[in-house]
Amino acid sequence: MSDHDATAAEPAAAPAPETTAPLAAPSSTGAATRPSAPAVEQPRKPFRVLGWVLSVVAVIALVAAGWYAWSSYDRVRSSEADLAQAATILEDAEEDLLLVDEAVQIEISAVIATPTIEAVDLADDVRSDVLEAAEIVERALGNLPEERVAYADALRDSADARAEMMELAPVILEADIRAATAIQYADQAVVEIKAAEDLSAQAVAEFNKHTADGVRASDDYSVQAEARLQVAHSLIASATASFPGADFTAFSSYVDAKVSLIALAKEIDAVWLAGDIAGSNTKLDTYNQRDAEIVAMAQALPASVRDPIANAYNAETADVSKRYFDARERARKAGERVSELGEPAITDD
């Protein structure tokens, strides 16, 4: 055999044994366990749900907007009604307010005017009414449209000014009443003083007759004059009590001096009737000297017994009167603004 032939053929490689997956361990029931298939999810509808939600939100928004619009409209209507009510209150109170205003401007005299007395209580009623109007306007202001604010402000200013007028008016009116009362007493005091002076003049005339009957008549007139002066003194005190600020010192001093002079005249009469003519003449010299002094006092008296009252009245009411007429002017101007801005009718349209 040749070498080729002598060479033994290489055996073919044995195929690899086929591997098998290991058996699963038997279950307790003896059956083989199979892997579970994944769960299948149902398809969702996100767009349909979202649309429903948005629809609900839109409806709620529309309802809210409608409610807000109606609520705003209703508030405006209510505020307009308040303005109309306030304007009506002011109009209804105007007649009484004018009566009070007229009473404030009445010139003071010895007669206490009935309107003055009535106006004191009337002013309180009017003030209550206009304050109510001011409160109503204040309540309405927060809900009014911008174009109505100016009218409301004018209405409120009118009410506020009138309220101040009616607050100050009673102060002036009560001062008027006290001044008028004081004038009555003071005027009557002057009547008594003049009557006493006339009686004193008659006493002098009777004494100058230098007869017993004349001197006795003189003494009688002096007694009457003294009584009238005492009444005058009491009346001056009453005038002072009625208006404490009035200074009647000059008049009181004059009356006191006249009373003292009459007392001296009575002494002269008594001495003369006692037969002491020389003593009577000595006292008569003193009488004449004092009488001249009293004449000078009379010339220095105020021109009118009402002057002390007027001075005290002006001092007491100057500030309040200025404030009253300032408020009166503000009320007038506010009233003009109210008229210019007008009051539109309230409708349901």
Side-chain angles (χ1 to χ4, degrees):
M1 267 184 202
S2 63
D3 292 336
H4 181 272
D5 294 332
T7 304
E10 290 285 337
E18 184 176 350
T19 60
T20 60
L23 295 175
S27 65
S28 58
T29 59
T33 302
R34 296 173 180 268
S36 60
V40 178
E41 295 183 359
Q42 295 295 325
R44 297 179 180 178
K45 301 177 181 179
F47 293 106
R48 182 178 301 175
V49 174
L50 178 60
W52 180 83
V53 171
L54 291 177
S55 297
V56 172
V57 172
V59 169
I60 293 174
L62 286 172
V63 171
W67 178 86
Y68 179 79
W70 170 254
S71 178
S72 298
Y73 172 72
D74 190 55
R75 285 197 300 270
V76 170
R77 275 180 46 79
S78 178
S79 297
E80 289 285 0
D82 285 342
L83 290 186
Q85 180 185 3
T88 299
I89 291 173
L90 290 178
E91 290 172 3
D92 292 344
E94 191 69 6
E95 183 178 352
D96 287 343
L97 182 141
L98 292 176
L99 291 176
V100 175
D101 185 57
E102 290 175 5
V104 168
Q105 299 183 69
I106 291 176
E107 186 176 353
I108 303 172
S109 67
V111 178
I112 301 176
T114 300
T116 300
I117 299 174
E118 295 175 346
V120 174
D121 293 331
L122 194 59
D124 290 335
D125 294 338
V126 174
R127 181 171 183 268
S128 177
D129 289 341
V130 297
L131 282 177
E132 180 186 1
E135 290 174 2
I136 292 173
V137 174
E138 188 67 32
R139 182 178 66 207
L141 268 170
N143 297 314
L144 289 172
E146 186 64 28
E147 65 270 15
R148 296 293 287 145
V149 172
Y151 173 79
D153 283 340
L155 203 59
R156 181 182 57 184
D157 290 346
S158 178
D160 288 343
R162 282 164 166 75
E164 185 173 0
M165 286 175 63
M166 295 301 98
E167 179 183 6
L168 298 172
V171 179
I172 299 171
L173 294 170
E174 288 169 359
D176 290 351
I177 293 171
R178 289 187 287 108
T181 303
I183 288 173
Q184 291 177 354
Y185 288 126
D187 285 356
Q188 189 58 40
V190 171
V191 171
E192 296 297 326
I193 291 171
K194 289 182 177 180
E197 290 174 342
D198 290 342
L199 289 166
S200 293
Q202 293 180 63
V204 171
E206 289 295 331
F207 180 85
N208 287 336
K209 293 178 179 178
H210 301 299
T211 63
D213 289 341
V215 172
R216 279 191 286 270
S218 173
D219 188 67
D220 184 58
Y221 281 128
S222 292
V223 170
Q224 293 180 52
E226 185 178 34
R228 301 298 286 266
L229 288 172
Q230 294 295 349
V231 172
H233 198 283
S234 177
L235 289 167
I236 290 174
S238 295
T240 302
S242 298
F243 213 103
D247 184 5
F248 289 101
T249 302
F251 291 95
S252 296
S253 298
Y254 176 76
V255 170
D256 289 341
K258 291 288 289 184
V259 169
S260 177
L261 186 64
I262 289 175
L264 181 56
K266 290 163 64 179
E267 289 180 13
I268 294 171
D269 293 340
V271 170
W272 194 96
L273 289 172
D276 187 358
I277 305 301
S280 173
N281 289 336
T282 299
K283 288 183 177 291
L284 189 58
D285 291 338
T286 303
Y287 176 94
N288 290 333
Q289 181 180 352
R290 289 187 183 177
D291 185 52
E293 293 172 354
I294 292 174
V295 169
M297 289 179 67
Q299 292 173 346
L301 288 173
S304 170
V305 73
R306 297 183 180 187
D307 286 354
I309 302 170
N311 294 337
Y313 176 88
N314 291 335
E316 181 176 318
T317 64
D319 178 66
V320 69
S321 292
K322 181 181 183 304
R323 289 166 56 199
Y324 175 87
F325 285 103
D326 286 347
R328 186 174 186 269
E329 180 63 13
R330 291 199 306 275
R332 184 189 66 79
K333 290 182 178 179
E336 289 180 350
R337 285 162 50 209
V338 169
S339 298
E340 290 171 0
L341 295 169
E343 172 63 20
I346 300 175
T347 66
D348 293 328
D349 296 339

